[in-house]
Amino acid sequence: GGDSILTIQVVSRAKKRGLLLAPRHIFQNQTIAELARVADASALAAESGSGAGPVPLTPGQTLLLAGAPEGVLGWNDAVLAELPQGVGAEAVEKSLAALAARHDALRLRFERREDGSWTQRIAAPSEVSPLALGRIGAGEVAAARERFDLAAGPLQAFLVEPDRLLLAAHPLAVDAASWPLLLEDLAAAAEGRELPAATASFRRFAEALESSPGVAEARQTAGAGRLPVDLRGGEAANTEGSARTLPVTVPAEESRALLAEGTRRYGNTVEELLLAALTKAVSGWTGAPRLAVDLAGSPREGVFEELDGSRTVGCLTWTSPLHLENEADEGALLKEVKETVRRLPRRGLGSRLPVPEVGSRFQAGAAGPWKAELLAPVRPAMAARRHVLDVSGFLAGESLRVDFLYSEALHRPETVRRLADRFLESLGAIIRHCQSSDAGGFTPSDFPEAGLSQEDLDDLLADLA
């Protein structure tokens, strides 16, 4: 135990000096000479500009640019943050410059070739003009975002008088998991504090993703079922302009129980618990014995053991098809979901079509030190949506919120409300099961080196008992 704690301290201090090490490196290379051969001293230097030049598109970027969708250059996501007392425009402008120097994804520049394909490169900090902080009134936020110009850079900022900050970023450069990191770094720089230790650059991940072998092509599993629709608008009607969001909040007591008992009994993550509830809810709606879901993945989840991406900004997410069997027993369902998710090599990186009708993602990151509101994305009204239904979970502290994003051209609000109620009922049943005395158990992914099936593991544990 003591050795592990010391190792983590060494790794943390090495990062501050620009050396990337993992704890396993220290256990495997127990002399300074051996460590010197595995320490990557160039990784963090790339954050300050030496990584300038062409860089491959990530899977998420390729998906966004597929078919050059209408108005793609003006797409943006945004947050509206409250500036604390004592932090003014000058401090914010200096902090934005520090962000651009640290995160190479904020210096991306895009070009479209004659054949319609896209390329990108990272500009050196010396090429990037200081980000001018525009000043707008509270009623001008929507108009300012409509004027977003990717050619001027993937990040734009406005001081919303008197004391709020609007940050708009193109999804080609900033995905959902990047926002908490940007806000945390921005706050540290503006308040004169030391920035958190940097991790691997966007470039390193883009190159790793390009060279990573894809997983086997996903099979279409029979019995997943199609989502029932209320209105016969067809796929062509499923556009961004028709999208509506139904948010539901898990009661505070149930949220705490989910985080405590839910994650402890079978070793499930919060994402896996939500997927289990979603499987039961959608299967009850469609009558199908399983759920086909397009699951979001990211290299920040340890996909590349040699790269730490916990604080890497960029468009790094991808989606992969996953088929989850519905089980009547909550314990069996939690085991099934856990093992199905964890059997995906590298979170399904490289999986191919068919694309399920349901998309799911879970965001566990905190919102950052400043109070901030994530605004609705700006997309052209006629842009096609990828899924019929998107379900997104957000966890901040002990509060859990789940958004159901649907098309009003396909579903009525009351239909989606009934589905959301089913989801909350299923989640409640899972929580109550996890609070019962007979809940709990291990699955094969808890012992990856043993090569046991669930049946073999159950037999072994019974013998030991």
Side-chain angles (χ1 to χ4, degrees), residues 4 9 22 66 78 86 107 139 142 173 187 210 288 290 292 317 331 357 371 391 412 415 422 425 457:
S4 298
Q9 291 175 337
R107 306 194 305 273
E210 181 188 43
R290 60 187 58 86
T317 54
E357 291 186 315
K371 184 178 180 181
V391 183
R412 297 186 180 92
T415 299
R422 279 180 181 267
E425 290 171 6
L457 179 58

Side-chain angles (χ1 to χ4, degrees), residues 69-82:
E70 178 191 353
V72 67
L73 298 181
W75 290 16
N76 66 86
D77 300 319
V79 294
L80 193 59
E82 294 184 10

Side-chain angles (χ1 to χ4, degrees), residues 21 53 71 105-106 114 131 146 154 226 247 279 281 315 337 341 364 368 375 377 429 439 444:
L21 289 170
L106 300 183
E114 291 184 1
L131 187 59
E146 291 293 342
R226 300 292 300 272
T279 299
C315 180
V337 171
V341 170
L375 304 182

Side-chain angles (χ1 to χ4, degrees), residues 3 18 35 48 72 112 168 198 308 340 374 450:
D3 285 346
L35 276 175
S48 61
V72 67
R112 191 176 184 185
D308 177 8
T340 304
L374 184 64

Side-chain angles (χ1 to χ4, degrees), residues 11-21 39-45 198:
V11 168
S12 176
R13 294 182 187 182
K15 283 182 180 178
K16 292 181 179 179
R17 298 294 295 270
L19 295 166
L20 278 187
L21 289 170
D40 190 340
S42 64
L44 299 187

